[in-house]
Every structure is written in structure tokens, then in C-alpha cells.
Amino acid sequence: MSRHCPSLVRVLGPGAITLALLTGCAELQPAMRDILEGGGRGNPRPQTVTYECDDDREFAARFSANRREVRIQTDDGETYQLERTGRGRGGGGSQYSDDDGEVRLTVGGGAVELSIEDEDDFEDCRAET
């Protein structure tokens, strides 16, 4: 076992010893990290999504685990921190905004749009696959 496995075994108990022996520590560490960090089944994890928009523009959105916050990085290197402020159009999805309301992200209903005051909107955005 690598030197990291004993610490996981100590935290998770004797059942982890059998699992570590059967799977090997290399395979055990990511699974145990997910469990310890709340990323197991039913527990969302932070997620980064890159969106391609019209006019060949794109931005990346890093959603927090609870989906209440999102950090946006545009293709020109600007970064914005937004908080969920409500529901998207028609009650589906989510609306995010910065403190001033100058930057807004709408996600849901098959449409994603990013609006930044005094700049062209990112429209008709789709998640890259």
C-alpha cells in the first residue's frame, strides 16, 4: 500500500482495509476522496462547464457544489463571481448575478445566456461535449 492508504483506512475504519486490498490504493484514493468531500451519490460536486456561443465566443462556468455560486471566465480572460438570485425563464433553471447586477447568467430551459453590461451578450450558448 502507498503511504496515503493508511490514513484513509484510519479515517474510514476496518472495512476500508478489505476494500484497499481488493482494489489497490491507487483506485481507492479517488473514490474515498469523493466520499470525504461530499461527492458521493446524491451529493453534488463542483462542476466546470465550457459553453460555446454564437459568434464563436465561449466562456467557462465553475458551479459550486450546492449550485448557489458560479465563477465565470470569459474567452478574453475576464473573471466574474456570481450568486444565484432566482429561477430562470418560466421557473426552470437558475438566474445568477453579481452584486451590482451588471453580470447575469441564465441557465435552463435549453438556453444559456451570459449578459455583461456594456458588452455584447453571449447568446445561444451550448455546453461543449
Side-chain angles (χ1 to χ4, degrees), residues 51-60 72-78 80 89 103-106 111-117 119-126:
Y51 293 98
E52 291 181 349
C53 307
D54 65 352
D55 298 333
D56 295 322
R57 300 172 70 202
E58 64 180 39
F59 67 92
I72 302 292
Q73 183 167 5
T74 60
D75 52 6
D76 64 359
E78 293 293 325
Y80 305 95
R89 296 181 187 148
V103 180
R104 293 175 311 283
L105 174 69
T106 303
V112 176
E113 293 183 4
L114 175 64
S115 299
I116 302 171
E117 192 170 291
E119 293 187 27
D120 291 336
D121 291 346
F122 290 76
E123 297 177 319
D124 299 322
C125 303
R126 291 180 180 78

Short mmCIF file of all heavy atoms in Angstrom, two decimals, residues 51-60 72-78 80 89 103-106 111-117 119-126:
data_model
loop_
_atom_site.label_atom_id
_atom_site.label_comp_id
_atom_site.label_asym_id
_atom_site.label_seq_id
_atom_site.Cartn_x
_atom_site.Cartn_y
_atom_site.Cartn_z
N TYR A 51 -19.00 26.68 -22.28
CA TYR A 51 -20.10 26.94 -23.20
C TYR A 51 -19.58 27.58 -24.47
O TYR A 51 -18.80 28.53 -24.43
CB TYR A 51 -21.14 27.87 -22.56
CG TYR A 51 -21.86 27.25 -21.40
CD1 TYR A 51 -21.47 27.50 -20.09
CD2 TYR A 51 -22.95 26.40 -21.61
CE1 TYR A 51 -22.14 26.92 -19.02
CE2 TYR A 51 -23.63 25.82 -20.54
CZ TYR A 51 -23.20 26.09 -19.24
OH TYR A 51 -23.87 25.51 -18.20
N GLU A 52 -20.04 27.07 -25.61
CA GLU A 52 -19.78 27.68 -26.92
C GLU A 52 -21.03 28.47 -27.29
O GLU A 52 -22.14 27.96 -27.23
CB GLU A 52 -19.52 26.61 -27.98
CG GLU A 52 -18.24 25.88 -27.79
CD GLU A 52 -18.01 24.84 -28.88
OE1 GLU A 52 -18.94 24.55 -29.66
OE2 GLU A 52 -16.89 24.32 -28.94
N CYS A 53 -20.82 29.73 -27.72
CA CYS A 53 -21.94 30.60 -28.02
C CYS A 53 -21.85 31.08 -29.47
O CYS A 53 -20.88 30.80 -30.16
CB CYS A 53 -21.92 31.80 -27.07
SG CYS A 53 -21.84 31.32 -25.32
N ASP A 54 -22.89 31.83 -29.87
CA ASP A 54 -22.88 32.36 -31.24
C ASP A 54 -21.66 33.26 -31.42
O ASP A 54 -21.01 33.66 -30.47
CB ASP A 54 -24.18 33.09 -31.55
CG ASP A 54 -24.39 34.33 -30.70
OD1 ASP A 54 -23.62 34.58 -29.74
OD2 ASP A 54 -25.36 35.07 -30.97
N ASP A 55 -21.33 33.57 -32.63
CA ASP A 55 -20.17 34.41 -32.97
C ASP A 55 -18.85 33.80 -32.51
O ASP A 55 -17.88 34.52 -32.24
CB ASP A 55 -20.31 35.83 -32.40
CG ASP A 55 -21.51 36.56 -32.97
OD1 ASP A 55 -21.92 36.23 -34.11
OD2 ASP A 55 -22.04 37.45 -32.29
N ASP A 56 -18.81 32.48 -32.37
CA ASP A 56 -17.59 31.76 -31.97
C ASP A 56 -17.02 32.25 -30.64
O ASP A 56 -15.80 32.25 -30.44
CB ASP A 56 -16.52 31.85 -33.06
CG ASP A 56 -16.94 31.14 -34.33
OD1 ASP A 56 -17.57 30.07 -34.22
OD2 ASP A 56 -16.66 31.66 -35.42
N ARG A 57 -17.87 32.65 -29.74
CA ARG A 57 -17.44 33.09 -28.41
C ARG A 57 -17.69 31.95 -27.43
O ARG A 57 -18.54 31.11 -27.65
CB ARG A 57 -18.20 34.34 -27.99
CG ARG A 57 -17.96 35.49 -28.96
CD ARG A 57 -18.84 36.66 -28.66
NE ARG A 57 -18.41 37.29 -27.42
CZ ARG A 57 -19.21 38.05 -26.69
NH1 ARG A 57 -20.45 38.28 -27.05
NH2 ARG A 57 -18.76 38.59 -25.58
N GLU A 58 -16.93 31.94 -26.34
CA GLU A 58 -17.14 30.92 -25.32
C GLU A 58 -16.78 31.46 -23.95
O GLU A 58 -16.09 32.47 -23.81
CB GLU A 58 -16.35 29.65 -25.62
CG GLU A 58 -14.86 29.80 -25.61
CD GLU A 58 -14.16 28.49 -25.93
OE1 GLU A 58 -14.64 27.73 -26.80
OE2 GLU A 58 -13.13 28.24 -25.30
N PHE A 59 -17.27 30.76 -22.93
CA PHE A 59 -16.92 31.07 -21.55
C PHE A 59 -16.99 29.79 -20.73
O PHE A 59 -17.65 28.83 -21.12
CB PHE A 59 -17.82 32.17 -20.96
CG PHE A 59 -19.26 31.78 -20.76
CD1 PHE A 59 -19.70 31.25 -19.57
CD2 PHE A 59 -20.19 31.96 -21.79
CE1 PHE A 59 -21.03 30.90 -19.38
CE2 PHE A 59 -21.52 31.61 -21.63
CZ PHE A 59 -21.94 31.08 -20.42
N ALA A 60 -16.27 29.79 -19.61
CA ALA A 60 -16.30 28.65 -18.69
C ALA A 60 -17.04 29.07 -17.43
O ALA A 60 -16.88 30.19 -16.95
CB ALA A 60 -14.88 28.21 -18.35
N ILE A 72 -17.34 32.73 -13.44
CA ILE A 72 -17.33 32.80 -14.90
C ILE A 72 -15.97 33.30 -15.36
O ILE A 72 -15.45 34.28 -14.81
CB ILE A 72 -18.41 33.78 -15.42
CG1 ILE A 72 -19.81 33.37 -14.95
CG2 ILE A 72 -18.33 33.92 -16.94
CD1 ILE A 72 -20.32 32.10 -15.55
N GLN A 73 -15.42 32.66 -16.38
CA GLN A 73 -14.23 33.17 -17.05
C GLN A 73 -14.55 33.25 -18.54
O GLN A 73 -14.84 32.24 -19.17
CB GLN A 73 -13.00 32.32 -16.81
CG GLN A 73 -11.78 32.95 -17.47
CD GLN A 73 -10.48 32.34 -17.03
OE1 GLN A 73 -10.45 31.36 -16.30
NE2 GLN A 73 -9.39 32.91 -17.47
N THR A 74 -14.49 34.47 -19.08
CA THR A 74 -14.80 34.67 -20.49
C THR A 74 -13.58 34.38 -21.35
O THR A 74 -12.46 34.29 -20.85
CB THR A 74 -15.30 36.11 -20.74
OG1 THR A 74 -14.27 37.02 -20.37
CG2 THR A 74 -16.57 36.39 -19.95
N ASP A 75 -13.82 34.29 -22.66
CA ASP A 75 -12.74 33.97 -23.58
C ASP A 75 -11.69 35.08 -23.68
O ASP A 75 -10.60 34.85 -24.18
CB ASP A 75 -13.28 33.60 -24.96
CG ASP A 75 -14.24 34.61 -25.54
OD1 ASP A 75 -14.45 35.69 -24.94
OD2 ASP A 75 -14.81 34.32 -26.60
N ASP A 76 -12.00 36.27 -23.15
CA ASP A 76 -10.98 37.33 -23.14
C ASP A 76 -10.27 37.43 -21.79
O ASP A 76 -9.53 38.37 -21.54
CB ASP A 76 -11.60 38.68 -23.53
CG ASP A 76 -12.65 39.18 -22.56
OD1 ASP A 76 -12.94 38.48 -21.57
OD2 ASP A 76 -13.20 40.27 -22.79
N GLY A 77 -10.49 36.44 -20.90
CA GLY A 77 -9.76 36.34 -19.64
C GLY A 77 -10.40 37.05 -18.46
O GLY A 77 -9.88 36.99 -17.34
N GLU A 78 -11.55 37.69 -18.65
CA GLU A 78 -12.23 38.35 -17.53
C GLU A 78 -12.89 37.29 -16.64
O GLU A 78 -13.40 36.27 -17.13
CB GLU A 78 -13.30 39.32 -18.04
CG GLU A 78 -12.72 40.51 -18.77
CD GLU A 78 -11.92 41.43 -17.87
OE1 GLU A 78 -12.27 41.61 -16.69
OE2 GLU A 78 -10.92 41.98 -18.37
N TYR A 80 -15.64 36.64 -13.30
CA TYR A 80 -16.74 37.21 -12.53
C TYR A 80 -17.24 36.17 -11.53
O TYR A 80 -17.34 34.99 -11.85
CB TYR A 80 -17.90 37.60 -13.44
CG TYR A 80 -17.50 38.54 -14.55
CD1 TYR A 80 -17.18 38.04 -15.82
CD2 TYR A 80 -17.44 39.91 -14.34
CE1 TYR A 80 -16.82 38.90 -16.84
CE2 TYR A 80 -17.07 40.77 -15.36
CZ TYR A 80 -16.75 40.27 -16.61
OH TYR A 80 -16.38 41.11 -17.61
N ARG A 89 -36.04 31.63 -16.82
CA ARG A 89 -37.30 31.87 -17.53
C ARG A 89 -38.30 30.75 -17.29
O ARG A 89 -37.95 29.58 -17.33
CB ARG A 89 -37.03 31.96 -19.02
CG ARG A 89 -36.18 33.13 -19.37
CD ARG A 89 -35.99 33.17 -20.87
NE ARG A 89 -35.03 34.22 -21.17
CZ ARG A 89 -34.20 34.17 -22.17
NH1 ARG A 89 -34.19 33.14 -22.98
NH2 ARG A 89 -33.37 35.15 -22.39
N VAL A 103 -23.61 41.75 -14.29
CA VAL A 103 -23.28 40.48 -14.97
C VAL A 103 -24.36 39.48 -14.57
O VAL A 103 -24.62 39.28 -13.38
CB VAL A 103 -21.88 39.97 -14.57
CG1 VAL A 103 -21.57 38.66 -15.28
CG2 VAL A 103 -20.82 41.02 -14.86
N ARG A 104 -24.99 38.87 -15.58
CA ARG A 104 -26.07 37.92 -15.32
C ARG A 104 -25.89 36.67 -16.16
O ARG A 104 -25.59 36.76 -17.35
CB ARG A 104 -27.42 38.57 -15.63
CG ARG A 104 -27.79 39.72 -14.70
CD ARG A 104 -29.07 40.42 -15.12
NE ARG A 104 -29.15 40.78 -16.53
CZ ARG A 104 -28.53 41.82 -17.08
NH1 ARG A 104 -27.77 42.60 -16.35
NH2 ARG A 104 -28.67 42.07 -18.37
N LEU A 105 -26.12 35.53 -15.54
CA LEU A 105 -26.08 34.24 -16.23
C LEU A 105 -27.44 33.59 -16.05
O LEU A 105 -27.94 33.47 -14.92
CB LEU A 105 -24.99 33.35 -15.65
CG LEU A 105 -24.93 31.92 -16.20
CD1 LEU A 105 -24.48 31.92 -17.66
CD2 LEU A 105 -24.00 31.06 -15.35
N THR A 106 -28.03 33.16 -17.16
CA THR A 106 -29.29 32.43 -17.12
C THR A 106 -29.03 31.04 -17.67
O THR A 106 -28.51 30.89 -18.78
CB THR A 106 -30.37 33.12 -17.97
OG1 THR A 106 -30.54 34.46 -17.49
CG2 THR A 106 -31.69 32.39 -17.87
N ALA A 111 -31.56 26.83 -22.81
CA ALA A 111 -30.85 28.04 -23.23
C ALA A 111 -29.91 28.51 -22.13
O ALA A 111 -30.23 28.44 -20.95
CB ALA A 111 -31.84 29.15 -23.55
N VAL A 112 -28.74 28.96 -22.53
CA VAL A 112 -27.79 29.56 -21.61
C VAL A 112 -27.35 30.88 -22.20
O VAL A 112 -26.97 30.95 -23.37
CB VAL A 112 -26.56 28.63 -21.39
CG1 VAL A 112 -25.53 29.30 -20.51
CG2 VAL A 112 -27.00 27.30 -20.81
N GLU A 113 -27.45 31.93 -21.39
CA GLU A 113 -27.05 33.25 -21.84
C GLU A 113 -26.26 33.95 -20.75
O GLU A 113 -26.58 33.83 -19.57
CB GLU A 113 -28.28 34.10 -22.20
CG GLU A 113 -29.03 33.59 -23.40
CD GLU A 113 -30.20 34.47 -23.78
OE1 GLU A 113 -30.39 35.54 -23.16
OE2 GLU A 113 -30.94 34.09 -24.70
N LEU A 114 -25.24 34.68 -21.16
CA LEU A 114 -24.43 35.48 -20.25
C LEU A 114 -24.49 36.92 -20.72
O LEU A 114 -24.17 37.21 -21.88
CB LEU A 114 -22.98 34.99 -20.24
CG LEU A 114 -21.98 35.81 -19.42
CD1 LEU A 114 -22.34 35.77 -17.93
CD2 LEU A 114 -20.56 35.29 -19.64
N SER A 115 -24.93 37.81 -19.84
CA SER A 115 -25.03 39.23 -20.16
C SER A 115 -24.08 40.01 -19.27
O SER A 115 -24.10 39.85 -18.05
CB SER A 115 -26.45 39.75 -19.91
OG SER A 115 -27.37 39.07 -20.72
N ILE A 116 -23.25 40.83 -19.91
CA ILE A 116 -22.31 41.69 -19.18
C ILE A 116 -22.58 43.11 -19.64
O ILE A 116 -22.54 43.41 -20.85
CB ILE A 116 -20.85 41.30 -19.48
CG1 ILE A 116 -20.62 39.82 -19.11
CG2 ILE A 116 -19.88 42.21 -18.73
CD1 ILE A 116 -19.29 39.26 -19.57
N GLU A 117 -22.89 43.98 -18.68
CA GLU A 117 -23.25 45.35 -19.01
C GLU A 117 -22.19 46.01 -19.89
O GLU A 117 -20.99 45.83 -19.68
CB GLU A 117 -23.43 46.15 -17.72
CG GLU A 117 -24.07 47.50 -17.95
CD GLU A 117 -24.46 48.16 -16.64
OE1 GLU A 117 -25.40 47.65 -16.00
OE2 GLU A 117 -23.84 49.16 -16.27
N GLU A 119 -21.35 45.28 -22.86
CA GLU A 119 -20.67 44.36 -23.77
C GLU A 119 -21.72 43.56 -24.53
O GLU A 119 -22.88 43.48 -24.11
CB GLU A 119 -19.75 43.41 -23.00
CG GLU A 119 -18.57 44.10 -22.34
CD GLU A 119 -17.59 43.12 -21.73
OE1 GLU A 119 -17.51 41.97 -22.20
OE2 GLU A 119 -16.91 43.51 -20.78
N ASP A 120 -21.31 42.96 -25.64
CA ASP A 120 -22.21 42.08 -26.37
C ASP A 120 -22.53 40.85 -25.53
O ASP A 120 -21.64 40.29 -24.87
CB ASP A 120 -21.58 41.63 -27.70
CG ASP A 120 -21.45 42.77 -28.70
OD1 ASP A 120 -22.22 43.75 -28.59
OD2 ASP A 120 -20.58 42.69 -29.57
N ASP A 121 -23.79 40.44 -25.55
CA ASP A 121 -24.21 39.26 -24.79
C ASP A 121 -23.66 37.99 -25.42
O ASP A 121 -23.45 37.91 -26.63
CB ASP A 121 -25.74 39.16 -24.75
CG ASP A 121 -26.37 40.27 -23.91
OD1 ASP A 121 -25.64 40.93 -23.15
OD2 ASP A 121 -27.59 40.44 -24.01
N PHE A 122 -23.45 36.99 -24.58
CA PHE A 122 -23.13 35.63 -25.03
C PHE A 122 -24.49 34.95 -25.18
O PHE A 122 -25.16 34.69 -24.19
CB PHE A 122 -22.28 34.89 -23.99
CG PHE A 122 -20.88 35.40 -23.84
CD1 PHE A 122 -20.60 36.59 -23.17
CD2 PHE A 122 -19.82 34.67 -24.36
CE1 PHE A 122 -19.30 37.04 -23.01
CE2 PHE A 122 -18.51 35.12 -24.21
CZ PHE A 122 -18.26 36.31 -23.54
N GLU A 123 -24.91 34.70 -26.41
CA GLU A 123 -26.23 34.16 -26.66
C GLU A 123 -26.15 32.81 -27.37
O GLU A 123 -25.14 32.48 -27.98
CB GLU A 123 -27.04 35.14 -27.51
CG GLU A 123 -27.27 36.48 -26.84
CD GLU A 123 -28.00 37.45 -27.71
OE1 GLU A 123 -27.70 37.53 -28.93
OE2 GLU A 123 -28.89 38.13 -27.18
N ASP A 124 -27.28 32.07 -27.28
CA ASP A 124 -27.38 30.75 -27.92
C ASP A 124 -26.19 29.87 -27.53
O ASP A 124 -25.52 29.28 -28.38
CB ASP A 124 -27.46 30.90 -29.44
CG ASP A 124 -28.69 31.67 -29.87
OD1 ASP A 124 -29.75 31.49 -29.24
OD2 ASP A 124 -28.59 32.45 -30.82
N CYS A 125 -25.94 29.79 -26.24
CA CYS A 125 -24.77 29.03 -25.75
C CYS A 125 -25.16 27.58 -25.48
O CYS A 125 -26.26 27.29 -24.98
CB CYS A 125 -24.24 29.67 -24.47
SG CYS A 125 -23.79 31.42 -24.67
N ARG A 126 -24.23 26.69 -25.79
CA ARG A 126 -24.42 25.25 -25.56
C ARG A 126 -23.17 24.69 -24.89
O ARG A 126 -22.04 25.10 -25.23
CB ARG A 126 -24.65 24.54 -26.89
CG ARG A 126 -25.96 24.88 -27.52
CD ARG A 126 -26.17 24.17 -28.85
NE ARG A 126 -27.43 24.51 -29.43
CZ ARG A 126 -27.71 25.63 -30.07
NH1 ARG A 126 -26.79 26.56 -30.19
NH2 ARG A 126 -28.90 25.87 -30.58
#
